[in-house]
Amino acid sequence: MRRSLMILIAAAMPLGAQQQQAITNPAVSAAKSNWMEVENYLVRSAEQMPESLYAFKPTPEVRSFGQILAHVAGSQFTYCSSILGEPARDESSVENTAKTKADIVKALKASNDYCARAYAIADADGNATINLFGQSSTKLGALINNVGHDMEHYGNLVTYFRIKGMTPPSSQGGM
């Protein structure tokens, strides 16, 4: 028994040592972790909502379900092009062009793929100053703002799901 316990402890030691290693780029990694969570919820929302409800608005003054997702996709292109130092993209371009569920889901996934490059920067690069929506920001600040913006609009979608008697992805469990 004692020998079995010693073998188990010895086998587990390398795993524990690996888990103790410092995380490379902890600031950007933390932002990326939060972004990946909300992006999972946004994509699942986009895929789960029936196309017939993409035009749903709780009140006439707000964006429809589909318009929110298209807005998020367009905004992500804008945030991440600034972070990557690439030509700015028109924030409203996706919202103005993607009108079907298929087009919106495709644009959202494309914006996620594009932003994955921005969330791969090093912490040292996160301190660089950029122009974001006409204001000075650091790249790390822009990554965090993108997460906050995505979370804000996911919160809108949660309300739309609940109004329609549906369970939003974040309340369904699992990833």
Side-chain angles (χ1 to χ4, degrees):
M1 167 85 160
R2 184 178 171 145
R3 181 178 174 170
S4 297
L5 182 59
M6 294 300 285
I7 291 171
L8 181 61
I9 291 171
M13 285 179 68
L15 178 61
Q18 289 173 359
Q19 291 173 344
Q20 295 294 324
Q21 291 177 350
I23 296 173
T24 304
N25 300 314
V28 172
S29 293
K32 181 178 181 180
S33 177
N34 285 310
W35 174 71
M36 289 174 63
E37 179 181 19
V38 72
E39 287 318 303
N40 173 48
Y41 294 150
L42 287 165
V43 170
R44 287 172 56 195
S45 295
E47 292 173 341
Q48 290 173 20
M49 185 63 76
E51 184 155 15
S52 62
L53 294 178
Y54 262 57
F56 171 68
K57 294 180 175 189
T59 66
E61 301 82 20
V62 299
R63 287 182 170 111
S64 69
F65 184 89
Q67 287 171 323
I68 290 173
L69 289 168
H71 167 71
V72 166
S75 294
Q76 286 203 127
F77 279 122
T78 301
Y79 277 106
C80 293
S81 65
S82 295
I83 294 160
L84 295 168
E86 297 179 358
R89 299 198 182 190
D90 178 8
E91 183 183 15
S92 62
S93 65
V94 176
E95 193 172 349
N96 291 336
T97 59
K99 301 297 181 188
T100 67
K101 176 179 178 174
D103 288 344
I104 293 168
V105 171
K106 182 179 176 182
L108 181 62
K109 288 180 177 181
S111 73
N112 290 344
D113 291 344
Y114 184 72
C115 281
R117 291 178 38 223
Y119 282 92
I121 66 170
D123 276 2
D125 295 330
N127 291 325
T129 302
I130 60 170
N131 181 345
L132 183 65
F133 300 108
Q135 297 183 348
S136 180
S137 174
T138 63
K139 289 183 178 186
L140 179 59
L143 291 172
I144 293 168
N145 284 336
N146 184 57
V147 171
H149 180 259
D150 290 353
M151 293 254 189
E152 173 186 358
H153 288 300
Y154 176 66
N156 297 137
L157 298 180
V158 167
T159 302
Y160 289 35
F161 271 99
R162 296 292 187 193
I163 289 170
K164 289 300 184 181
M166 299 171 68
T167 303
S170 54
S171 295
Q172 293 173 4
M175 289 287 279

